[in-house]
Amino acid sequence: MKVLVVDDEQTILETVETKLRREGFTVFTAESAEEGMRIFRQAKPDLLVLDVMLPSRSGLDLCKAIRRDSKVPIIFLTARASEEDRIAGLDIGADDYIVKPFNLGELAARVKAVMRRSGIENPQEVIECGNIRIDPKTHEATIDGRSMNLSPKEFALMYFLAKHQGQVFSRDTLLDRVWGPESFVSARTVDVHIRWLRERIESSASNPQRLVTVRGVGYKFIG
Amino acid sequence: MKVLVVDDEQTILETVETKLRREGFTVFTAESAEEGMRIFRQAKPDLLVLDVMLPSRSGLDLCKAIRRDSKVPIIFLTARASEEDRIAGLDIGADDYIVKPFNLGELAARVKAVMRRSGIENPQEVIECGNIRIDPKTHEATIDGRSMNLSPKEFALMYFLAKHQGQVFSRDTLLDRVWGPESFVSARTVDVHIRWLRERIESSASNPQRLVTVRGVGYKFIG
DNA sequence: GCAAGTGTTAACGATCTCTTAACCGAATCT
DNA sequence: AGATTCGGTTAAGAGATCGTTAACACTTGC
């Protein structure tokens, strides 16, 4: 889930970024409206956090510009608690409003709340391939109807591979997409998790049929 | 799903009515507290949208009067963002709060959110799963026919989990949807309430069968 | 005002999970 | 064949998460 934060104060930018990353979001930052617009187009974030007061072009302008193309949810930050700001923001189509200085936990909570309201939650599809079934809603992975009892990482990895069955992923790619772009983890860690997954879904450990190694490249799951 | 909107400004009344109708609600409108009370009794709406400032009798008074008879969810509209209003409203038993002028989409979203939180999607539905029965009308939860003697929060949490049985919810989501979006409570608070619920419905405390922990994610109830 | 009940938080320990490093064998390259 | 790279496996320690309890503030009803 990608969030773009636009604010001209570096310290705010950094603390917000850290907090949101810690909450599991992929965070992009920009220090001006122009930069924000550019990154918005490139990164296609799922939610925006905009400072109302920006040096050249105001956050409200940026909001207007973005609203022409997109219905992405927007949360405003403002130093003043003035009514005009609030009014202008909500009129333009902001989804929420936070007055600086704000509590970081509150910001994170609002980001999540807005996402939930806007119905952007992860599409939570059930994945079935052969005798394996993975339901992210109940967070249950079963093989032949029996629970696989996966740990969080195992579940995430299994879900990702099953969702893109057949496709090969390098260890680095898996780290990026399953562990998250923030994680600084040795690539060999993936091997260990693959091993644990094989223990659950492969009948013959020495000859994997479904979690297949592609030597020199990575791993893939065959449904 | 019926919504009653009470506001003395006709323009607001009309735009809100149009929007909510478009969203699939059956809308009733009133321009004064007295009229609102009358229509409330007749139409029995599932949710109220009340302006705080009304000519003769204030929206807060109307809210109080209605609260004596009913637990219908109420969303307040106010021109001022003052804290006192907010506090007064939430004290009386409002479910949410919107500052005028507001974004119509936001209003619709909040109406839906409040309905979801209040569990009104299927108004006052009795939930039964296995030997557990939860009746929100009488506010009674029984297991094997014996009352579980739940506190208010315990009841709300139990009801929510039972209503969405099988589905996993993070602590944050539970806080948002059971405690409400305005509450800033430590996530670990959920643990304690889960523990208390387990005391009532689990035979073996060390090995929960129904209120299951999904490590790294949250909790779910298995019916 | 007092007592009982309720909700929240902090702390600690127990448990589970993740990561790393090391070693070994298998595959690949020269 | 020998060297080298790559992947499999294991175990141990670090780290995160969860369960549980107790203390406290707060509310409610008597």
Side-chain angles (χ1 to χ4, degrees):
Chain A
M1 206 83 333
K2 292 171 286 187
V3 180
L4 168 60
V5 186
V6 186
D7 196 310
D8 57 315
E9 290 177 60
Q10 278 225 336
T11 50
I12 290 192
L13 218 49
E14 277 170 25
T15 52
V16 168
E17 181 183 359
T18 309
K19 175 64 176 178
L20 290 181
R21 272 203 213 293
R22 210 169 279 154
E23 296 287 330
F25 298 100
T26 306
V27 185
F28 300 87
T29 59
E31 291 184 37
S32 70
E34 291 76 14
E35 195 187 351
M37 195 65 202
R38 201 173 58 247
I39 296 182
F40 172 73
R41 277 200 254 271
Q42 292 163 358
K44 296 191 186 312
D46 302 287
L47 185 144
L48 266 61
V49 178
L50 290 188
D51 191 359
V52 172
M53 299 294 291
L54 290 173
S56 63
R57 211 170 148 201
S58 91
L60 296 177
D61 278 350
L62 178 56
C63 176
K64 262 190 243 171
I66 284 175
R67 267 285 172 277
R68 275 201 288 272
D69 309 333
S70 159
K71 293 194 299 182
V72 63
I74 297 178
I75 297 177
F76 269 112
L77 300 177
T78 180
R80 307 166 297 163
S82 85
E83 270 310 293
E84 307 115 62
D85 276 10
R86 177 169 224 122
I87 290 163
L90 293 179
D91 258 1
I92 286 176
D95 295 82
D96 209 341
Y97 221 82
I98 305 183
V99 175
K100 290 197 265 188
F102 51 84
N103 173 293
L104 274 179
E106 184 181 358
L107 174 65
R110 297 232 186 158
V111 167
K112 288 180 195 166
V114 167
M115 286 204 170
R116 191 150 357 88
R117 261 189 253 144
S118 324
I120 327 188
E121 296 164 273
N122 316 347
Q124 304 265 314
E125 303 160 56
V126 175
I127 292 176
E128 289 195 55
C129 24
N131 55 348
I132 290 180
R133 180 191 157 88
I134 308 175
D135 186 342
K137 251 182 156 178
T138 62
H139 209 271
E140 210 163 59
T142 57
I143 180 165
D144 294 324
R146 286 173 294 104
S147 169
M148 291 169 66
N149 268 98
L150 302 182
S151 78
K153 271 278 149 50
E154 284 165 25
F155 186 90
L157 179 57
M158 187 71 238
Y159 186 71
F160 180 81
L161 287 173
K163 190 167 178 177
H164 304 91
Q165 54 187 285
Q167 194 176 341
V168 188
F169 294 98
S170 72
R171 292 174 176 73
D172 279 342
T173 306
L174 288 174
L175 284 180
D176 196 55
R177 309 214 19 201
V178 177
W179 271 251
E182 304 308 315
S183 71
F184 297 95
V185 171
S186 148
R188 299 302 309 278
T189 299
V190 176
D191 300 25
V192 179
H193 286 270
I194 290 284
R195 153 114 180 71
W196 289 337
L197 280 180
R198 280 178 176 156
E199 224 164 50
R200 322 262 176 163
I201 72 178
E202 297 285 0
S203 43
S204 157
S206 58
N207 183 27
Q209 298 293 307
R210 312 193 65 178
L211 274 175
V212 183
T213 302
V214 181
R215 181 163 251 267
V217 185
Y219 298 98
K220 69 177 169 182
F221 174 72
I222 309 214
Chain B
M1 207 83 332
K2 291 171 287 186
V3 180
L4 169 58
V5 186
V6 186
D7 196 310
D8 57 315
E9 291 177 58
Q10 279 225 337
T11 51
I12 290 191
L13 219 48
E14 278 170 26
T15 52
V16 169
E17 181 183 359
T18 309
K19 174 66 176 178
L20 290 181
R21 271 203 214 294
R22 208 168 281 157
E23 296 285 329
F25 297 100
T26 307
V27 185
F28 301 86
T29 59
E31 291 185 36
S32 70
E34 291 76 14
E35 195 188 349
M37 195 66 201
R38 199 172 61 247
I39 296 181
F40 173 72
R41 277 200 255 271
Q42 293 164 358
K44 298 193 186 308
D46 302 287
L47 185 142
L48 265 60
V49 178
L50 289 188
D51 191 0
V52 172
M53 298 294 290
L54 290 174
S56 64
R57 211 172 149 200
S58 92
L60 295 176
D61 278 350
L62 178 56
C63 175
K64 260 190 244 170
I66 284 174
R67 268 284 172 278
R68 274 201 289 273
D69 309 334
S70 160
K71 293 194 297 183
V72 62
I74 296 177
I75 296 178
F76 268 113
L77 300 178
T78 180
R80 304 168 300 163
S82 85
E83 270 310 296
E84 306 114 60
D85 276 9
R86 177 171 223 113
I87 289 164
L90 294 178
D91 258 2
I92 287 176
D95 295 83
D96 208 342
Y97 221 82
I98 305 185
V99 176
K100 286 202 277 188
F102 47 85
N103 173 289
L104 276 178
E106 183 184 1
L107 174 65
R110 296 233 188 156
V111 166
K112 288 180 194 165
V114 167
M115 287 205 169
R116 186 162 16 86
R117 281 204 299 276
S118 323
I120 323 195
E121 289 137 284
N122 299 313
Q124 309 270 315
E125 188 195 358
V126 175
I127 292 176
E128 288 195 56
C129 24
N131 55 348
I132 290 180
R133 179 191 158 90
I134 307 175
D135 186 342
K137 267 186 187 158
T138 64
H139 208 270
E140 208 163 61
T142 59
I143 181 166
D144 294 325
R146 287 173 294 103
S147 168
M148 291 168 67
N149 269 97
L150 302 183
S151 77
K153 271 279 148 50
E154 283 166 24
F155 184 88
L157 179 57
M158 187 70 237
Y159 183 71
F160 180 81
L161 288 173
K163 184 165 181 177
H164 304 92
Q165 54 187 283
Q167 194 175 341
V168 187
F169 295 97
S170 72
R171 292 173 175 75
D172 278 345
T173 304
L174 289 174
L175 285 180
D176 195 54
R177 298 189 55 178
V178 176
W179 271 251
E182 304 293 334
S183 76
F184 294 94
V185 171
S186 150
R188 299 301 308 277
T189 299
V190 177
D191 300 26
V192 179
H193 285 269
I194 289 284
R195 153 119 178 67
W196 290 337
L197 281 180
R198 277 178 178 157
E199 227 163 48
R200 322 262 176 163
I201 72 178
E202 297 285 359
S203 44
S204 157
S206 58
N207 182 29
Q209 298 293 307
R210 312 192 66 179
L211 274 175
V212 182
T213 302
V214 180
R215 184 167 253 266
V217 185
Y219 297 99
K220 68 179 170 182
F221 174 72
I222 308 215

